[in-house]
Amino acid sequence: PFALMVHDLTQARVLCDIPAEAEALLTSPEAPIVLLRRRPGAPVAENVAPGNPNLGIMLPYTPLHHLLLRELDFPVVATSGNLSDEPICTDEQEAMQRLSHIADLFLVHDRPIARHADDSVAWVVLGEPRLLRRARGYAPLPVLLAQDVPTILAVGAHQKSTIALSVNRQVFISQHIGDLETPEALAAFERVIADFLRLYEVTPVAIAHDLHPDYLSTRWAQQSSAHLIPVQHHHAHLAACLAENGVSGPALGVTWDGTGYGLDGTVWGGEFLLGDAAAFTRVAHLRPFRLPGGDTAIHEPRRVALALLWELYGEAALERDDLAPVRSFRPAERQLLAQMLGRGVNSPVTTSAGRLFDGIAALIGLHQRVSFEGQAAMALEFAADPTVYKAYPMPLADALLDWQPLVEAALEDLRRGVSPGVIAARFHNALVEALLAVATMVGEKRVALTGGCFQNRLLTERAAQRLSRAGFDVLLHRQVPPNDGGISLGQVAVAAARLDDKLYMEGTHVPGCTGESGKH
């Protein structure tokens, strides 16, 4: 989806509904892109935000923007000057070299750009402004911790990369760097680190990084001579939510996303972690399933759907030509995938809630392939009928949330001709009820909702409201995104807690020890 820049609020109101909280965001000095509900019949080309009921709206925030929009007097698509997975170009020579095949004209000037900064992205959830991307206007403003901590450099995750640097109580978080997929992105990542260390004139006593051994951020950290502190991905999500909410005590962290390296070497992503910045216990998670083709399954939700069907029906799943994802594969492809699933070859095990969204979206025919991250899950959210409150069954047994009855019920609805909107809503409601069931079982009154799945408004609002009505204290992100853009803050919090742990300093505490119910 593309963002739109409008001349003023009058133009914005032609396109979108703008509640008071969103108007305050749009007109604030930070001037982020704000996600707003599109008005029926809004005069916007469909391919600006295909299939999306929302539009990203921003107001001019530089003199040049004001001049252009005053002259044009109509909304324009405003997007960053970069290719996918690459950082923004910061000089005209670089722009002409990297973007000449997609841009017809370049408007240049003689003021050098010191460093790249994307537009921040915000939305209003449950009446409060919250960030989805923290960059221009917000970075590197610090998040304040409850107390002073050692100077720690945190190098974030792989996607939606940010870095963070703690100085006393302050944690300075960088602008959004992007996905570390290209040499250009890695170079930008290294420049941001160098800038931070120079600007704040400090030397870190430790570097915190993700557990994943193949992340470029992890490899960069391992090349350093500094003391290294590996931090499990979902623990960092929980710690980030606690830190920005000023909470030091324990909470149940519902950490749902697409991918995170687990302590057992599998792909986590549908986790319930009970703990704080110092330690956690994995108290529940989604029933595991396989991802045939590994990362390829992220781009092809149909593979996830087939994996779910394989868990239910074995090889008989290959004969379900009545289902869109199965039908989309040629016979030879089905046989290859059957071998992968049957033998566990190139089919890593996952508990990912994000992939479960993908699989259900493919099953009901929304997307078999995607062109950008989260596309299938977004389509499932947008398809959901907001008037439906019935939920599919998703029983909790032995700390495992079993999605099999949910998938079976969805397939039965599909067979009966129930609309995709009803199926999508019942799926979302099932997750909300399952979340409440785990929270009730655990008994911790403080519940943090974190991870990329909580960029889903329907899931976030219904889960928070359901938990609040049941007497739980719900923590949501505000200052940093729930996605991997907040990981670096969590890494600082975890590393600081470990440095404060004398057992850890003496070498008797082993971060990343395994065990389903033990502390980590």
Side-chain angles (χ1 to χ4, degrees), residues 49-383:
N52 196 323
N54 304 310
L55 291 173
I57 301 294
M58 62 197 304
L59 293 176
Y61 58 85
T62 71
L64 178 59
H65 291 155
H66 284 280
L67 290 171
L68 285 172
L69 270 294
R70 187 175 65 190
E71 189 70 24
L72 295 173
D73 201 30
F74 57 78
V76 297
V77 170
T79 189
S80 53
N82 62 290
L83 301 178
S84 296
D85 300 327
E86 291 186 4
I88 294 174
C89 298
T90 54
D91 70 68
E92 61 268 27
Q93 297 303 321
E94 181 188 17
M96 286 186 278
Q97 179 183 354
R98 288 167 51 193
L99 305 178
S100 59
H101 64 293
I102 60 170
D104 297 319
L105 296 170
F106 293 88
L107 177 61
V108 301
H109 57 66
D110 59 359
R111 295 186 65 190
I113 299 172
R115 53 186 57 85
H116 78 277
D118 285 83
D119 295 310
S120 294
V121 180
W123 62 343
V124 177
V125 175
L126 296 173
E128 289 193 44
R130 305 176 192 277
L131 289 175
L132 292 172
R133 183 168 72 197
R134 193 177 195 269
R136 177 189 52 76
Y138 296 92
L141 294 174
V143 172
L144 293 180
L145 301 180
Q147 60 188 25
D148 287 356
V149 299
T151 299
I152 298 162
L153 172 66
V155 295
H158 187 74
Q159 294 183 313
K160 299 178 176 62
S161 170
T162 63
I163 65 112
L165 183 68
S166 58
V167 180
N168 300 322
R169 280 186 61 204
Q170 302 177 99
V171 181
F172 297 96
I173 305 171
S174 77
Q175 72 271 37
H176 169 85
I177 299 169
D179 298 350
L180 300 183
E181 297 281 359
T182 64
E184 292 84 1
L186 181 60
F189 165 81
E190 292 174 335
R191 281 197 303 272
V192 171
I193 291 174
D195 282 348
F196 263 47
L197 296 180
R198 183 174 63 253
L199 281 170
Y200 299 109
E201 299 180 327
V202 293
T203 301
V205 300
I207 296 177
H209 63 86
D210 196 275
L211 270 182
H212 199 300
D214 294 329
Y215 280 1
L216 291 183
S217 55
T218 300
R219 291 179 178 178
W220 183 91
Q222 290 171 341
Q223 292 172 359
S224 166
S225 59
H227 176 53
L228 300 183
I229 301 179
V231 179
Q232 199 280 324
H233 188 88
H234 300 93
H235 188 198
H237 272 307
L238 169 59
C241 193
L242 296 179
E244 72 154 298
N245 280 281
V247 173
S248 57
L252 174 64
V254 184
T255 51
W256 288 359
D257 60 7
T259 300
Y261 192 81
L263 297 179
D264 56 3
T266 65
V267 181
W268 287 10
E271 311 309 312
F272 295 83
L273 307 182
L274 178 62
D276 52 21
F280 72 88
T281 303
R282 189 190 191 197
V283 292
H285 57 83
L286 293 184
R287 171 181 165 178
F289 54 94
R290 290 193 176 274
L291 294 176
D295 286 348
T296 304
I298 297 173
H299 306 290
E300 296 185 20
R302 60 183 186 157
R303 289 177 179 245
V304 181
L306 185 64
L308 297 175
L309 294 170
W310 182 273
E311 290 285 328
L312 270 60
Y313 308 119
E315 287 199 35
L318 303 178
E319 308 304 320
R320 294 295 302 268
D321 283 301
D322 57 313
L323 299 174
V326 178
R327 198 164 55 245
S328 72
F329 290 109
R330 297 190 301 272
E333 291 175 317
R334 296 185 201 183
Q335 290 305 316
L336 179 60
L337 288 165
Q339 292 176 20
M340 294 167 67
L341 288 165
R343 300 173 184 174
V345 176
N346 193 22
S347 299
V349 172
T350 187
T351 56
S352 169
R355 299 289 81 81
L356 185 62
F357 268 90
D358 288 350
I360 298 298
L363 279 175
I364 66 175
L366 296 179
H367 283 286
Q368 305 309 322
R369 296 181 176 87
V370 295
S371 58
F372 61 87
E373 181 201 2
Q375 185 177 10
M378 288 168 62
L380 192 63
E381 175 193 356
F382 300 150

Side-chain angles (χ1 to χ4, degrees), residues 447-467:
V447 180
L449 305 182
T450 183
C453 288
F454 291 101
Q455 296 172 111
N456 179 317
R457 179 186 296 275
L458 180 64
L459 175 67
T460 302
E461 292 189 338
R462 287 200 174 176
Q465 290 165 348
R466 189 80 171 87
L467 287 165

Side-chain angles (χ1 to χ4, degrees), residues 414-491:
L414 201 58
R415 186 191 66 79
R416 292 171 48 235
V418 174
S419 74
V422 171
I423 296 173
R426 289 174 176 172
F427 169 75
H428 280 81
N429 296 337
L431 295 182
V432 171
E433 294 304 315
L435 191 156
L436 177 62
V438 174
T440 302
M441 175 196 76
V442 172
E444 168 58 54
K445 286 299 181 183
R446 189 183 289 136
V447 180
L449 305 182
T450 183
C453 288
F454 291 101
Q455 296 172 111
N456 179 317
R457 179 186 296 275
L458 180 64
L459 175 67
T460 302
E461 292 189 338
R462 287 200 174 176
Q465 290 165 348
R466 189 80 171 87
L467 287 165
S468 294
R469 287 198 301 269
F472 293 94
D473 179 16
V474 181
L475 304 179
L476 297 174
H477 288 276
R478 295 189 309 275
Q479 300 179 71
V480 299
N483 59 45
D484 285 3
I487 285 285
S488 60
L489 170 62
Q491 289 173 341

